[in-house]
Amino acid sequence: MGQVDTSLFTPELVFFDVDASTSDEMFAALEPELKEKGYIKDTWLDAIKTREHNYPTGLECQAISVAIPHVEPENIAKPYIAVVRNQKPIAFAPMGGMVDHDVQAHLVLNLGLLAHDEDQVAVLQALMNVFMNDAACADILAQTTADDLLAALKKYIEESAE
């Protein structure tokens, strides 16, 4: 399995207190930020909405519910991982039909990866391991700055890889 490139987590891509009621609203709020910084192509917004509809990414864990939306590499200009903490949880359909109700995601990690499928699988698995750790989730959610949130997230990703 590939190693997670934690350099893709940057403070400029951490968004606190986003005010979105739906996943589509959250994607629409994220799109100009990602486009302005050169991370995505013009096709990104339609592609991520379509992909999320067809392949939902809501993940309900014991400590936190998250969503990990992503799109095909042809919609990405350069690799990134954006972290969104909305003002209130956003409903996402559950990944793989794992539960029979919408997942109220407190945290959204938007993966913009160009590399092979194995790398995406490695990132997804590492993130899922982190979100299964109650103490890690509490620590990550308690952070109030982009740098601190990313430091906590990277720490738990690295620990989960050991």
Side-chain angles (χ1 to χ4, degrees):
M1 176 165 34
Q3 189 73 327
V4 177
D5 182 359
T6 56
S7 73
L8 295 177
F9 291 103
T10 62
E12 75 173 2
L13 295 180
V14 175
F15 305 96
F16 288 101
D17 298 323
V18 172
D19 184 17
S21 299
T22 66
S23 59
D24 282 355
E25 283 182 18
M26 195 261 331
F27 295 142
L30 193 56
E31 190 240 4
E33 298 286 341
L34 295 174
K35 187 179 281 187
E36 177 185 316
K37 294 173 174 90
Y39 288 100
I40 60 171
K41 296 180 181 176
D42 291 339
T43 56
W44 181 86
L45 185 58
D46 287 337
I48 199 160
K49 287 179 182 180
T50 299
R51 189 165 200 323
E52 185 63 31
H53 176 76
N54 293 333
Y55 304 99
T57 63
L59 184 63
E60 190 171 86
C61 301
Q62 186 168 330
I64 187 176
S65 292
V66 299
I68 310 173
H70 46 279
V71 294
E72 291 75 17
E74 61 264 17
N75 302 290
I76 306 300
K78 63 183 179 183
Y80 70 91
I81 299 176
V83 181
V84 178
R85 194 164 73 191
N86 204 51
Q87 288 181 359
K88 57 192 176 299
I90 301 174
F92 277 80
M95 184 184 295
M98 295 171 97
V99 294
D100 62 359
H101 55 272
D102 282 346
V103 172
Q104 299 298 318
H106 292 87
L107 200 61
V108 177
L109 286 98
N110 169 224
L111 306 182
L113 304 176
L114 294 173
H116 300 304
D117 290 343
E118 305 84 64
D119 293 335
Q120 185 162 294
V121 170
V123 172
L124 287 169
Q125 183 154 10
L127 291 173
M128 290 169 87
N129 287 341
V130 169
F131 297 131
M132 297 294 177
N133 178 333
D134 293 359
C137 291
D139 188 16
I140 291 164
L141 285 176
Q143 303 311 315
T144 58
T145 70
D147 287 329
D148 291 344
L149 186 146
L150 293 178
L153 195 53
K154 289 177 185 181
K155 172 181 136 182
Y156 294 113
I157 288 171
E158 289 163 7
E159 284 178 6
S160 78
E162 294 174 355

